[in-house]
């Protein structure tokens, strides 16, 4: 294959993605111009680091609050 600077940039992006230590979804979103650093909670890195998406946390918080409210009534 001929060498083109654009190929080198693409290859570097793939290498950086493979070496990432943060959420892969956040890295992909950043690559495409989205600055939202919120971890997805589903990729391999999030699962091994225990990160969870805020939506999941909110659902669990609501479920816990509902259970507590139900116990008192």
């Amino acid at each position: 294959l001929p060498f083109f600077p654009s190929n080198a940039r693409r290859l570097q992006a793939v290498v950086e993605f493979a070496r990432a230590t943060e959420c892969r979804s956040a890295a992909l979103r950043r690559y495409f111009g989205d600055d939202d650093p919120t971890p997805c909670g589903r990729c391999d890195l999030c699962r091994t680091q225990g990160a969870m998406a805020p939506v999941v946390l909110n659902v669990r918080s609501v479920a816990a609050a509902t259970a507590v409210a139900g116990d008192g009534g």
Side-chain angles (χ1 to χ4, degrees):
L1 289 172
F3 176 79
F4 294 105
S6 61
N7 289 343
R9 285 192 298 273
R10 289 181 189 146
L11 179 59
Q12 183 60 36
V14 170
V15 169
E16 289 173 10
F17 182 77
R19 291 182 176 169
T21 58
E22 65 175 346
C23 173
R24 294 199 192 276
S25 177
L28 283 172
R29 290 191 311 265
R30 189 173 42 260
Y31 178 82
F32 288 107
D34 186 353
D35 292 329
D36 180 14
T38 307
C40 71
R42 295 180 297 263
C43 72
D44 62 323
L45 295 173
C46 284
R47 287 192 315 252
T48 58
Q49 295 172 0
M52 293 177 12
V55 172
V56 174
L57 292 174
N58 290 337
V59 169
R60 288 187 179 167
S61 297
V62 169
T66 303
V68 169
D71 289 342

